Amino acid sequence: MTHAPKSKRQSILAAARQAFLAHGYSGASMEAIAEAAPVSKPTLYSHFRGKQDLFAAVIAEQCESLLGTLARSLGGNRNPEEGLKAIARAFVDLIYAPESLQLYRLIISEQQHFPDLGLLVYRSGPEPVLKQLAAYLAELAVGGALKIVDVEGSSRLFLSMLKGDEHFRCLLGLQDGLKEGEKDSMISAAVAFFLKGHGYEA
């Protein structure tokens, strides 16, 4: 089986992700990323204006699978339980992935040196996720499946139930991640509580 060759943009993002994880945001240079991609510096800058833009793209790419699941849920015919479980699974798989945990630690450690980085990251990943989830919940509310007063607040609540102490323990290195069975249990419990709290009747 042959695989399609990576586009230059994909190659740049892959090299950048590894450089950021290995050397931190401040320690990763555009020159080294261009060399690792490998592309010329003009090609690199034709795709990304600078290091902040490139880092934001790395975060956005990390969230791509979750955003795809959210997009498919919008306008779909899934019942709320199926839709929320699919979204929760994509979210949990993302935030507990070893690379995501490394990037999260990196963002926190670099924030004091690069104050604009936090807002840039938030707009690249978490904000689009919250907006799409809110749109999905609004769709369910309009259809009468759920009773939701504040779709944005409920969106934050749903995602927060999937993080909590377990995610914090992983960030601190107290545990490596979650086993598949642990993920399933967490997702089932969070979705059940959320649906019950929003007046869902199966």
Side-chain angles (χ1 to χ4, degrees), residues 12 15-16 29-42 44-45 54:
I12 293 167
S29 71
M30 293 294 274
E31 291 81 3
I33 291 168
E35 187 177 336
V39 296
S40 66
K41 280 182 67 178
L44 175 59
Y45 282 102
L54 181 52

Side-chain angles (χ1 to χ4, degrees), residues 113-190:
H113 304 297
F114 302 94
D116 295 336
L117 194 62
L119 181 59
L120 184 76
V121 166
Y122 188 77
R123 287 178 173 169
S124 301
E127 189 174 65
V129 168
L130 272 170
K131 283 183 176 178
Q132 283 212 46
L133 178 56
Y136 175 63
L137 293 181
E139 194 176 77
L140 293 176
V142 169
L146 298 181
K147 297 180 180 72
I148 303 177
V149 176
D150 176 7
V151 290
E152 187 175 321
S154 290
S155 298
R156 294 180 191 280
L157 174 64
F158 182 66
L159 297 181
S160 294
M161 286 195 295
L162 298 165
K163 291 177 68 178
D165 183 62
E166 291 89 346
H167 192 248
F168 191 47
R169 286 176 60 83
C170 290
L171 286 172
L172 292 175
L174 300 179
Q175 62 187 69
D176 293 332
L178 292 182
K179 296 175 182 176
E180 293 305 301
E182 292 171 326
K183 288 181 182 179
D184 291 340
S185 296
M186 175 191 288
I187 289 166
S188 295

Side-chain angles (χ1 to χ4, degrees), residues 15-39:
R17 185 168 56 252
Q18 291 309 310
F20 288 132
L21 290 173
H23 306 293
Y25 180 80
S26 54
S29 71
M30 293 294 274
E31 291 81 3
I33 291 168
E35 187 177 336
V39 296

